[in-house]
Amino acid sequence: MTTSTDDRVSFPSGEKGELLRALAEQRELLLITVRGIGDAQAARRTTVSELTLGGIVKHLARGERVWTQIMVKGDGELPEGMLDLGQYRMAEGETLAALLEEYRAAARATEEAVAALADLDRSVPLPTTPWSPPEPVHWTARRILLHLLRETAHHAGHADIIREALDGASTTAQR
């Protein structure tokens, strides 16, 4: 059985394991992108975007936490911090090491929650947000996992561009 990138959680067999494995691979690409940089580099903007490497790690950690909460609780309530715009910025005093540990902890929590699900067809109401349609929306656990996969891949691409502009390093070259 294959395990996650930190070898603490074994992936279940079947579709749950395949989706978790794909998500772990995207996380690993992101982690390669931030390898070998310090806190000042992690907080530095290198493009016209406000995104930084530390901000991306922080946002993805928060995203995993809130989407896992939505999937597990299934109550349609807005998780605390989901709409907090501070999640996109590495705040003064934060360290990349601490943000990475939070990201790893969020990943473990996601893997454990998915492994505990009876199946991926569990449907839950999404919280109401400013961009929500007027009628209630429900997603399956599968769709939430696919959303996390897309979000991680999307931001791993952003991170690669930021890192390349920072010091010329690219994820492909560091693999």
Side-chain angles (χ1 to χ4, degrees):
M1 190 179 300
T2 307
T3 57
S4 66
T5 56
D6 67 1
D7 291 331
R8 294 183 198 186
V9 178
S10 296
F11 293 126
S13 61
E15 183 185 18
K16 287 195 284 187
E18 291 300 320
L19 289 171
L20 287 174
R21 191 173 294 105
L23 182 55
E25 288 168 0
Q26 289 303 310
R27 288 188 201 113
E28 186 61 31
L29 290 173
L30 177 76
L31 295 176
I32 290 169
T33 304
V34 298
R35 188 188 304 151
I37 65 166
D39 295 336
Q41 290 173 305
R44 187 170 156 224
R45 289 178 47 211
T46 62
T47 68
V48 295
S49 170
E50 293 289 323
L51 290 175
T52 65
L53 293 172
I56 289 171
V57 171
K58 185 176 179 178
H59 167 62
L60 288 174
R62 174 76 56 89
E64 290 234 13
R65 291 273 188 213
V66 300
W67 282 104
T68 298
Q69 182 179 336
I70 290 166
M71 179 175 54
V72 171
K73 283 191 168 184
D75 60 8
E77 296 296 316
L78 187 70
E80 185 177 334
M82 184 174 183
L83 304 180
D84 177 15
L85 295 178
Q87 69 180 290
Y88 297 96
R89 291 177 199 83
M90 186 172 167
E92 190 167 327
E94 289 183 319
T95 66
L96 180 59
L99 293 175
L100 288 170
E101 183 48 43
E102 176 60 27
Y103 187 46
R104 288 182 184 103
R108 285 190 300 272
T110 298
E111 291 167 350
E112 290 167 1
V114 170
L117 291 174
D119 63 58
L120 295 176
D121 291 326
R122 172 182 163 82
S123 182
V124 298
L126 298 188
T128 301
T129 61
W131 54 86
S132 296
E135 66 279 347
V137 175
H138 289 74
W139 280 8
T140 63
R142 178 183 298 101
R143 178 137 182 218
I144 290 171
L145 271 177
L146 290 169
H147 175 74
L148 286 173
L149 180 58
R150 185 206 56 80
E151 185 79 359
T152 304
H154 182 76
H155 287 303
H158 289 145
D160 202 33
I161 290 168
I162 292 167
R163 177 65 189 264
E164 195 166 351
L166 181 68
D167 63 5
S170 74
T171 303
T172 303
Q174 293 187 63
R175 273 186 114 179

